[in-house]
């Protein structure tokens, strides 16, 4: 912990997964009067829905099973909070709808050659992106009647694609891969998607090993990525890449800062809160939190460690996610099969 100013306190331990817990997703719009809703997925082929009761106790309200035949690797809520997408090692992505008090699988998206590693909804909810071990990224258009049409298959990565994430403001998609690169994709206006920028080690401050995760801040002008190289990279993403241009002098995203020396093993997950605190979870079983160092703005933005929670879990921390309704609540998922909820206390500026 840096300076004793902040503390991360475990408030709840959610158990039920019979295998490692891989990924987490907070519902961005749980409905009027509803408390926070969290989805978790794991190696036991299930998705669990967790809700906070009025007395503050967290319970598993629903178990989504019987659809995926292998590990559920990723889950993501639609922007309106009505649909949940789940991506599985069985090569499929399922779409779940909450109706009549129960979750129902209303669509199954097929096409990837093997394991689907990640799923993400666009900010409008009209597009869904998936990525796979088959090195491809697919973009699906959501159509009436729970139909989904594949409108683009994006080829460019040379290895397993670990994660896809839509920009929170622009119609831009980011993918990260085993090939150590971060690729930025945009539509040219004619429903033809292109890679408009590749952030790689050579020349622009990229990662030297597998990139696992990507997250944007709320405004979308900053992005954080994390890697097998045990670093987090902060990027300036303020340039509008949603309208691809050609020729010299076009705008681009660029590297701002590198955070290193805080995790001793692969950093699997990073997430940016609405209060501009970055959380990271890693193979050293720890969670770290970082904030921007405001006093150094003359030299350009830099970020500092504000605390490190050693042994946050008994095994690898696979995912960290800040709660949108309460930005000081953090959820984490681990190989130890548990999901933990944490509360951030203290003054982050001291």
């Amino acid at each position: 912990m840096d300076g004793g100013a902040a503390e991360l306190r475990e408030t709840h331990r959610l158990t039920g997964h019979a295998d490692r817990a891989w990924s987490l997703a907070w519902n961005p719009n749980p409905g009027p009067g509803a408390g926070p809703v969290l989805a978790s997925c794991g190696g036991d082929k299930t998705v669990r829905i967790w809700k906070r009761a009025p007395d503050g106790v967290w319970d598993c309200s629903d178990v989504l099973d019987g659809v995926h035949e292998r590990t559920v690797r990723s889950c993501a809520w639609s922007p309106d909070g009505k649909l949940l997408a789940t991506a599985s090692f069985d090569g499929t992505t399922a779409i779940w709808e909450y109706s009549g008090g129960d979750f129902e699988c209303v669509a199954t998206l097929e096409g990837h050659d093997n394991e689907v590693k990640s799923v993400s909804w666009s900010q409008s909810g009209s597009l869904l992106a998936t990525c796979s071990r088959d090195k491809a990224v697919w973009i699906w258009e959501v159509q009436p009647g729970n139909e989904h049409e594949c409108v683009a298959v994006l080829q460019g990565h040379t290895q397993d694609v670990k994660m896809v994430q839509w920009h929170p403001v622009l119609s831009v998609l980011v993918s990260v891969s085993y090939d150590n690169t971060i690729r930025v994709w945009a539509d040219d206006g004619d429903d033809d998607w292109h890679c408009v920028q590749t952030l790689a080690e050579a020349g622009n401050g990229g990662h030297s090993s597998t990139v696992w995760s990507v997250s944007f801040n709320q405004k979308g002008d900053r992005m954080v990525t994390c890697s097998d190289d045990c670093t987090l990279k902060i990027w300036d993403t303020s340039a509008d890449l949603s309208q691809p241009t050609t020729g010299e002098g076009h705008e681009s995203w660029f590297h701002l800062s590198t955070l290193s020396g805080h995790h001793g093993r692969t950093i699997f997950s990073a997430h940016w809160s609405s209060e501009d605190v970055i959380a990271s979870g890693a193979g050293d079983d720890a969670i770290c939190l970082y904030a921007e160092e405001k006093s150094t703005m003359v030299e350009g933005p830099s970020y500092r460690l504000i605390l490190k929670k050693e042994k946050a879990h008994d095994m690898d921390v696979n995912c960290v996610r800040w709660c949108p309704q309460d930005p000081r609540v953090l959820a984490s998922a681990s190989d130890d099969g548990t999901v933990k909820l944490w509360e951030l206390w203290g003054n982050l500026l001291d």
Side-chain angles (χ1 to χ4, degrees), residues 94-310:
I95 309 296
W96 304 81
E97 184 175 25
Y98 187 71
S99 178
D102 290 304
F103 281 89
E104 178 187 0
C105 180
V106 294
T108 301
L109 314 184
E110 299 179 345
H112 283 291
D113 290 341
N114 41 40
E115 292 103 318
V116 185
K117 297 295 183 72
S118 175
V119 58
S120 177
W121 297 86
S122 66
Q123 71 274 20
S124 67
S126 62
L127 296 173
L128 195 68
T130 57
C131 66
S132 169
R133 186 181 172 188
D134 64 10
K135 309 174 189 176
V137 174
W138 286 44
I139 296 179
W140 309 80
E141 186 176 64
V142 181
Q143 300 180 332
N146 292 312
E147 296 293 326
H148 299 74
E149 180 186 359
C150 177
V151 294
V153 176
L154 310 181
Q155 306 281 2
H157 285 294
T158 58
Q159 294 192 52
D160 188 336
V161 188
K162 288 294 186 185
M163 186 177 183
V164 283
Q165 181 65 50
W166 290 95
H167 190 282
V169 179
L170 306 173
S171 184
V172 168
L173 179 68
V174 175
S175 58
V176 300
S177 169
Y178 243 122
D179 64 13
N180 310 349
T181 69
I182 302 153
R183 286 181 175 263
V184 188
W185 310 85
D187 179 1
D188 66 2
D190 295 319
D191 294 327
D192 194 5
W193 288 79
H194 297 279
C195 179
V196 294
Q197 191 175 355
T198 301
L199 304 174
E201 184 182 17
N204 61 13
H207 290 285
S208 61
S209 191
T210 299
V211 190
W212 281 84
S213 177
V214 55
S215 176
F216 289 94
N217 67 352
Q218 199 165 34
K219 292 190 296 183
D221 63 351
R222 295 284 188 273
M223 177 178 77
V224 59
T225 54
C226 60
S227 167
D228 265 354
D229 64 14
C230 300
T231 70
L232 291 101
K233 303 276 186 178
I234 311 295
W235 306 85
D236 184 308
T237 54
S238 57
D240 184 355
L241 300 185
S242 62
Q243 302 298 324
T245 57
T246 57
E248 296 297 323
H250 63 276
E251 290 188 300
S252 60
W253 293 357
F254 57 91
H255 173 256
L256 283 174
S257 179
T258 297
L259 288 160
S260 62
H262 304 306
H263 284 292
R265 294 184 63 190
T266 295
I267 307 174
F268 292 118
S269 181
H271 195 241
W272 213 307
S273 82
S274 61
E275 292 190 341
D276 284 333
V277 178
I278 300 169
S280 61
D284 59 6
D285 313 338
I287 294 173
C288 288
L289 303 184
Y290 317 84
E292 188 171 342
E293 189 71 82
K294 301 294 185 182
S295 62
T296 61
M297 286 302 289
V298 175
E299 303 168 3
S302 65
Y303 294 79
R304 67 181 178 94
L305 179 75
I306 56 175
L307 69 84
K308 180 175 183 178
K309 189 73 174 181
E310 301 275 11

Side-chain angles (χ1 to χ4, degrees), residues 27-35 37 80-81 325:
N27 190 320
N29 188 15
V37 175
D80 63 8
Q325 292 83 23

